Amino acid sequence: MLKGIDPILTPELLMHLCAMGHGEWVAVVDANFTADFLAKGKPVVRLPGLSLERVAQAVLSVFPLAVDVAQPAGYMQHSGLPVGQTTPAQAAFIELACRLEGLAPEQVEPIERFAFYERIAGASLIVQSGEASAFGNAILCKGVILP
């Protein structure tokens, strides 16, 4: 345990988040996501039993979002819903990103399912939560911490 560090942030996850540089992406995906297949050898850290919101909250406690990217956060749009309509897990993620990082809702991008899979190819890390709801997947772009 470390003082001031969210206890769900494992040493492995902290190591990968710390090693990431500006402009790299981390995906927080649900329990049903094909993480190993889409990771193609990139690290996958599992945090079973935890929601998308809880994992995103922990990640954002140490991970600055990019300010030079129009939409530094995104979520997988539910293919059965109109664009912009969200599931409860997605709405919680959007609210969290806006509250913690000062984003406007339009800075959290709805990403079509197969386009989200393509984004995973460019992600440096996948964190698999225990989120059980469909389309409980998000992606975040790392920013810079200045002195």
Side-chain angles (χ1 to χ4, degrees):
M1 298 289 292
L2 293 172
K3 187 177 179 181
I5 301 290
D6 191 309
I8 73 165
L9 294 173
T10 65
E12 178 187 16
L13 180 52
L14 284 169
M15 176 191 70
H16 290 300
L17 292 172
C18 184
M20 291 174 64
H22 175 245
E24 291 187 63
W25 293 81
V26 58
V28 180
V29 299
D30 64 34
N32 290 301
F33 195 83
T34 55
D36 286 321
F37 176 75
L38 291 174
K40 304 211 182 300
K42 289 183 254 184
V44 176
V45 176
R46 289 181 176 75
L47 298 175
L50 298 169
S51 68
L52 168 63
E53 179 183 16
R54 180 66 182 97
V55 173
Q57 177 185 22
V59 169
L60 288 171
S61 74
V62 296
F63 189 91
L65 288 185
V67 296
D68 59 343
V69 173
Q71 294 173 305
Y75 63 93
M76 181 188 281
Q77 174 66 44
H78 193 300
S79 60
L81 297 175
V83 173
Q85 186 174 343
T86 59
T87 67
Q90 293 168 340
F93 169 74
I94 294 165
E95 188 280 326
L96 179 78
C98 291
R99 180 170 42 85
L100 293 182
E101 294 296 315
L103 299 180
E106 57 272 8
Q107 289 180 282
V108 184
E109 179 184 13
I111 305 167
E112 186 273 331
R113 177 183 169 198
F114 294 102
F116 190 91
Y117 294 152
E118 290 174 15
R119 293 267 185 104
I120 292 296
S124 299
L125 171 65
I126 298 175
V127 182
Q128 189 158 36
S129 73
E131 180 62 55
S133 67
F135 297 85
N137 307 302
I139 195 161
L140 303 163
C141 184
K142 189 173 185 182
V144 175
I145 298 175
L146 298 173

